[in-house]
Amino acid sequence: MAGISSIVANQTFFNATQGTAAQMGIKTGLNAVARPGAILLDNDIDQHTKKFSASKEFLYQAISLAMYMLVIIPIFKNGAYKLAAKKFNDEAVFKAFKSPDKFKSYLKLDEAGKVKKLKELSKNGDTFSRNNITEKSEHLANGVIETSSLIGTVLGLAVIAPLTATKAIHPILKAVGLVKEDEKKA
Amino acid sequence: MSLRNNLEYVGKNIKPYWPTVAVASAELIFRPLFTMMDKKTPDETKKYTALREGLTELIAAPTYLALPILAAKASNLIKDPNKAKMAKHNLQTLGTWTAALVVIPGLCSMAVKPFMDKIYADKNKGDEKPAENKLDVTSQTIEIEPVKTPVTQQNPAYPINKVNLAGFTNTGMRV
């Protein structure tokens, strides 16, 4: 039982899967491997169709993942964080942590680590402590990051990726010599 | 509720399965919509694909919600509150991935394909031409094909005109 609980309550796994962007990034990455794998294992499909479908599925997931991690999430997360810093200008948390990534790495620390980090940040003139960066202000900053990431995720993976990735797939497949069986005959 | 309160709520309570549920719910609307907007695909194919995509997402959205919640119940067995909190998060994450990689594809192959086959089989039934009237009792007698081979006189001793019986039909009374 102790062995199972230490596996299930693994700290590294817990830290690596914090946040919407990390969650969806890993999930899309797994899809990019598992879905083409499942197609390749299917014995009811002929070799050419298998290759074509598996490559198409891999490319779709890979393009979606790249677009999601490199374009959509940074724009939404950083943009919303900057807007929140202006709107909630009385909140010390936005003054202490200028970017969402810096705040997220602070959030992963334990209580002693947080106090130490705030002391370090106070050397620059401002005074940060657990009195002005409370649990409630942490929830606010985290809420800004997660809400913007959620909106970016839905827009990115359900709207933008299907409209753009599908257009890029066919030219790539054609370039590597993979075309549909009926296109080949034409 | 103000914006600040809403943001604080999300920041405090965000769960690993929220994004997947949100994406599956959005795809329930957008995937069939984009398919129906495609002008290059024939109408019947579009309808079939859109219905299939809609059904897939209809299965995916509640599964993405239910499986992580059920998986997280196992964290109640851990007594240390800090470890239990981490276990809950990890089990919810693993539940989401299991749903995406194993459970949803399995459920879809079990439910969506047979459902689609049934709908399209029922639809095609209406399009079929009415069957011709057929006798429900059929004769078991073996029918013998009439032989059309010309029969010619073989004996040259009687040089009479050749008789071709192929075209001969007996119209007289049978004795």
Side-chain angles (χ1 to χ4, degrees):
Chain A
M1 183 65 200
I4 295 169
S5 76
S6 67
I7 293 168
V8 168
N10 188 284
Q11 175 95 46
T12 315
F13 185 82
F14 179 79
N15 285 337
T17 55
Q18 284 296 314
T20 301
Q23 285 279 342
M24 291 306 287
I26 297 169
K27 191 194 144 257
T28 315
L30 286 173
N31 279 348
V33 179
R35 287 191 183 181
I39 294 169
L40 289 173
L41 288 173
D42 192 341
N43 289 328
D44 293 336
I45 317 170
D46 69 89
Q47 276 297 322
H48 181 81
T49 313
K50 247 191 217 187
K51 244 184 180 178
F52 179 81
S53 303
S55 311
K56 195 176 161 188
E57 188 62 45
F58 172 75
L59 275 176
Y60 178 79
Q61 297 293 341
I63 293 169
S64 297
L65 178 65
M67 209 156 50
Y68 178 71
M69 297 305 278
L70 300 173
V71 184
I72 298 159
I73 283 299
I75 290 173
F76 275 84
K77 203 167 70 172
N78 294 330
Y81 196 81
K82 275 178 191 162
L83 279 174
K86 279 181 191 167
K87 182 162 174 58
F88 306 111
N89 51 14
D90 55 328
E91 281 291 343
V93 69
F94 295 109
K95 285 176 192 151
F97 306 101
K98 300 283 179 203
S99 77
D101 293 334
K102 280 180 183 164
F103 171 74
K104 277 287 188 184
S105 43
Y106 159 81
L107 201 62
K108 285 174 189 169
L109 300 171
D110 58 9
E111 193 53 35
K114 282 178 182 174
V115 172
K116 196 181 160 196
K117 181 76 187 169
L118 292 177
K119 255 185 195 169
E120 278 173 31
L121 290 168
S122 299
K123 283 173 188 168
N124 302 331
D126 292 306
T127 313
F128 302 115
S129 69
R130 292 302 276 156
N131 292 325
N132 57 6
I133 298 181
T134 57
E135 219 172 65
K136 220 176 172 192
S137 50
E138 283 175 6
H139 291 154
L140 176 68
N142 195 36
V144 168
I145 296 166
E146 295 304 331
T147 307
S148 57
S149 299
L150 267 174
I151 296 168
T153 301
V154 171
L155 274 175
L157 294 180
V159 184
I160 301 167
L163 287 174
T164 51
T166 43
K167 282 182 183 154
I169 288 170
H170 277 284
I172 298 172
L173 286 176
K174 233 176 189 177
V176 294
L178 276 169
V179 285
K180 270 186 193 171
E181 205 58 56
D182 48 347
E183 279 174 28
K184 218 180 188 182
K185 282 171 194 163
Chain B
M1 262 183 116
S2 67
L3 176 67
R4 180 190 279 262
N5 288 343
N6 280 323
L7 291 170
E8 280 175 10
Y9 179 83
V10 174
K12 189 182 176 186
N13 299 299
I14 182 94
K15 301 281 186 293
Y17 54 85
W18 283 15
T20 42
V21 174
V23 170
S25 308
E27 281 182 340
L28 181 61
I29 301 161
F30 289 113
R31 276 184 78 183
L33 187 73
F34 291 150
T35 303
M36 292 307 286
M37 278 162 58
D38 187 358
K39 285 175 187 162
K40 286 177 190 168
T41 317
D43 265 7
E44 272 306 303
T45 315
K46 272 199 289 195
K47 279 181 198 165
Y48 179 88
T49 313
L51 183 62
R52 202 187 166 116
E53 286 171 345
L55 284 170
T56 304
E57 297 306 329
L58 202 62
I59 290 173
T63 311
Y64 275 135
L65 183 68
L67 208 70
I69 291 173
L70 287 174
K73 299 259 182 220
S75 68
N76 295 336
L77 298 169
I78 297 168
K79 291 195 176 107
D80 179 359
N82 276 337
K83 273 194 171 182
K85 189 188 161 197
M86 279 195 281
K88 194 175 179 181
H89 171 92
N90 290 352
L91 286 167
Q92 283 171 344
T93 304
L94 290 172
T96 304
W97 295 351
T98 312
L101 301 175
V102 184
V103 180
I104 293 167
L107 283 175
C108 286
S109 67
M110 270 197 314
V112 175
K113 199 181 176 297
F115 186 76
M116 294 297 292
D117 288 349
K118 196 179 179 318
I119 285 180
Y120 275 79
D122 288 348
K123 207 180 163 192
N124 290 339
K125 226 183 240 174
D127 297 342
E128 272 176 15
K129 286 175 187 170
E132 285 174 26
N133 288 335
K134 283 177 186 170
L135 288 174
D136 51 355
V137 178
T138 53
S139 168
Q140 298 297 312
T141 315
I142 301 163
E143 286 183 15
I144 302 164
E145 287 284 315
V147 180
K148 299 281 184 187
T149 322
V151 179
T152 53
Q153 192 178 8
Q154 298 293 317
N155 195 342
Y158 306 94
I160 53 169
N161 291 336
K162 284 184 178 176
V163 179
N164 190 347
L165 294 175
F168 177 78
T169 47
N170 185 7
T171 53
M173 185 190 282
R174 191 167 292 179
V175 185

